[in-house]
Amino acid sequence: MRAFPLSFCLSFTKHKLSGSTWILPVVRNMSTDSHPGFLGKCVLAPMVRTGELPTRILALKYGADAVWGPEIVDKGIIGCRRVDNSIADCVDFVKATNGGKGEDRIIFRTHKTIEKNKLIFQIGTSSPELAVEGAKIVAKDVAGIDVNAGCPKHFSIHSGMGAALLQTPDKLVSILSSLVEEVGKPNNIPISVKIRILDTPEATLDLVRQLCTTGIVRVTVHCRTTPMRPREPVIRDTLSDIVNVCHAAGVKCYANGDVESRQHAEKLIEEYGVDGCMIARAAESNPSVFRSEGLLDWREVAEEYLKTAVSIGHYVSNTKFCLGHLIPGKNPLYNDVTRSKTLEQMCTALGIPCELPFSETEVKSDRTVSKATKKAQKTSETVKAAGGGGGARQKKKTKKLSERGVTSVTIAETNNEVPTPAVAMV
């Protein structure tokens, strides 16, 4: 059993997933740090594809203090409708495909209870106006907004997003200032930024000083330059100086890059004075890196991941992709899982029951909204309370989700006033 210092107040909360009840510790730091930028010592990094909901739930189960969602570009979240998904106890942000004429596609999903006050939404942007418009859509359902100013991938840089913002600091400052004033303050949520180091310590420190004038609460530093690849060792020579600049401005500083475990994070906190550390690749391979007691066997973690994915009706392709990171490539199970085409087949391969809360045929292989999700939307208490989701309108198969009830909300049209969703754990 994990031992907690006396400075912590420990209570327990139950979450029922995949046919079993998890009793998770709810830890409240009663010692010193109530700063809005402090989320705990060890958090899950934003990761494209692997940072979807099942991974985040598992990271929190294993002790992550907070989780970042995968980066979502401003234009991707703009135009989404907020949908209460009672069958999975989630909030889905969906957008119709094919110019609004096709099926609804889930752009972003958060668990209403497990991720409450724990989830940071990371936005990719190069425009203050679009950043604000996109952030407003999710602001009431997340614990903060983080701007991605560190992604070195071409799709980000060529659009002026990600690490390209490091070369346009005035634009980055404008984006952060706008988010603080127009999203952070009105919704009482913190705004932060994730960056990379620049070519010289002087340039990095000058950039951090500018960022700390915007009203943000936290700077996360990936200790590599933009051209550096993950296989290259991190550079932490300037990290302590960055921490000093942040702290002088009342801003928290987190470190990212080659953080291997909670124990490693605690060593880095002690050595460099950072407020916390962010784990990426190590958590991608085994989310139990957040445990104080050490790693669990990959088989146990893979089974828990699949049970979690099944319990929320996660889409097949991403479930398979993430399991491919958890299962050793030389193990026979790896090929069994990668050949699977359904959640049931993956469960069979791992020898666990497939306890779907709905029919296997209702699960989509991609992000498009499944029949089960639509059923949850139509039967949710929020829809009923608003007078929607019943009668003949539900039976007209040609009707789109947007015409079936007001649980599906276009944020821009309602001035971001979203009704609080009903909680219905399954």
Side-chain angles (χ1 to χ4, degrees):
M1 176 178 286
R2 179 179 176 183
F4 293 91
L6 293 178
S7 58
F8 282 81
C9 176
L10 182 63
S11 60
F12 291 88
T13 183
K14 292 184 178 181
H15 295 295
K16 188 175 181 183
L17 287 175
S18 63
S20 60
T21 300
W22 293 352
I23 301 180
L24 305 182
V26 178
V27 184
R28 298 176 178 87
N29 192 340
M30 304 297 289
S31 55
T32 56
D33 212 328
S34 59
H35 189 286
F38 181 73
L39 294 169
K41 293 183 177 181
C42 202
V43 301
L44 178 70
M47 296 183 290
V48 175
R49 297 187 75 180
T50 46
E52 297 287 350
L53 182 56
T55 299
R56 303 198 307 265
I57 290 176
L58 214 55
L60 289 170
K61 175 189 177 180
Y62 290 137
D65 297 307
V67 292
W68 264 242
E71 176 202 24
I72 297 180
V73 175
D74 49 20
K75 292 181 180 178
I77 198 68
I78 291 172
C80 282
R81 302 186 307 281
R82 181 187 185 281
V83 175
D84 180 66
N85 181 347
S86 61
I87 201 168
D89 196 24
C90 294
V91 171
D92 296 339
F93 292 88
V94 304
K95 181 186 291 187
T97 58
N98 192 25
K101 299 178 181 179
E103 291 185 286
D104 284 328
R105 188 171 188 266
I106 299 173
I107 303 300
F108 178 64
R109 167 179 280 183
T110 177
H111 198 283
K112 291 184 290 187
T113 51
I114 295 177
E115 292 193 298
K116 186 176 181 180
N117 300 324
K118 299 284 187 180
L119 173 64
I120 304 298
F121 180 89
Q122 189 181 67
I123 192 167
T125 187
S126 61
S127 161
E129 294 78 19
L130 293 179
V132 168
E133 186 178 356
K136 283 182 176 180
I137 292 174
V138 299
K140 294 187 182 299
D141 292 287
V142 298
I145 304 291
D146 187 71
V147 172
N148 182 352
C151 180
K153 301 295 185 182
H154 175 71
F155 76 86
S156 282
I157 293 178
H158 92 281
S159 300
M161 301 183 295
L165 289 170
L166 301 177
Q167 307 304 319
T168 56
D170 290 343
K171 179 187 290 186
L172 180 54
V173 165
S174 179
I175 290 170
L176 294 173
S177 299
S178 297
L179 285 170
V180 168
E181 294 299 323
E182 300 182 50
V183 181
K185 291 181 179 179
N187 293 282
N188 194 30
I189 60 171
I191 307 298
S192 59
V193 65
K194 186 171 184 284
I195 66 171
R196 286 185 171 232
I197 58 174
L198 299 181
D199 294 334
T200 67
E202 294 76 17
T204 301
L205 294 174
D206 184 58
L207 173 66
V208 173
R209 288 188 189 98
Q210 293 182 66
L211 301 182
C212 288
T213 66
T214 61
I216 60 173
V217 300
R218 179 179 52 254
V219 174
T220 301
V221 183
H222 186 149
C223 298
R224 291 185 174 92
T225 62
T226 300
M228 291 176 67
R229 300 278 71 87
R231 64 180 177 273
E232 300 179 70
V234 295
I235 303 171
R236 299 192 178 106
D237 298 350
T238 316
L239 186 55
S240 293
D241 293 330
I242 295 172
V243 170
N244 290 336
V245 170
C246 288
H247 287 179
V251 174
K252 294 297 182 181
C253 183
Y254 278 54
N256 176 225
D258 289 354
V259 183
E260 299 297 331
S261 64
R262 176 174 287 276
Q263 294 82 358
H264 187 206
E266 291 172 352
K267 290 180 181 179
L268 294 174
I269 291 169
E270 180 69 24
E271 181 176 357
Y272 295 99
V274 290
D275 299 288
C277 289
M278 183 178 276
I279 302 181
R281 286 184 297 157
E284 186 176 56
S285 300
N286 191 326
S288 69
V289 293
F290 295 101
R291 283 166 39 94
S292 295
E293 304 89 343
L295 284 176
L296 294 172
D297 180 72
W298 68 264
R299 178 68 182 253
E300 180 178 346
V301 175
E303 290 180 3
E304 284 299 324
Y305 176 88
L306 184 52
K307 290 176 183 177
T308 303
V310 167
S311 72
I312 61 171
H314 194 56
Y315 59 107
V316 174
S317 59
N318 187 257
T319 302
K320 185 193 300 187
F321 177 80
C322 293
L323 282 173
H325 283 78
L326 301 176
I327 302 172
K330 294 183 179 180
N331 190 285
L333 281 176
Y334 180 86
N335 289 330
D336 292 340
V337 168
T338 56
R339 285 194 296 263
S340 298
K341 295 182 179 180
T342 65
L343 294 177
E344 185 175 18
Q345 289 174 0
M346 293 182 216
C347 289
T348 299
L350 285 173
I352 62 175
C354 188
E355 299 176 355
L356 283 166
F358 37 77
S359 167
E360 173 75 18
T361 59
E362 295 178 320
V363 180
K364 289 283 187 177
S365 61
D366 55 17
R367 285 179 175 267
T368 50
V369 177
S370 68
K371 293 179 181 178
T373 298
K374 290 181 179 179
K375 180 180 179 181
Q377 292 161 1
K378 289 187 290 185
T379 59
S380 78
E381 293 302 317
T382 310
V383 179
K384 293 177 181 177
R393 294 186 68 184
Q394 287 188 5
K395 299 179 182 179
K396 294 182 179 180
K397 296 183 179 181
T398 57
K399 292 289 186 181
K400 295 193 301 183
L401 179 64
S402 59
E403 298 170 300
R404 294 181 180 177
V406 297
T407 341
S408 173
V409 179
T410 303
I411 308 296
E413 294 177 354
T414 61
N415 196 26
N416 207 29
E417 294 180 358
V418 185
T420 302
V423 176
M425 286 295 288
V426 294

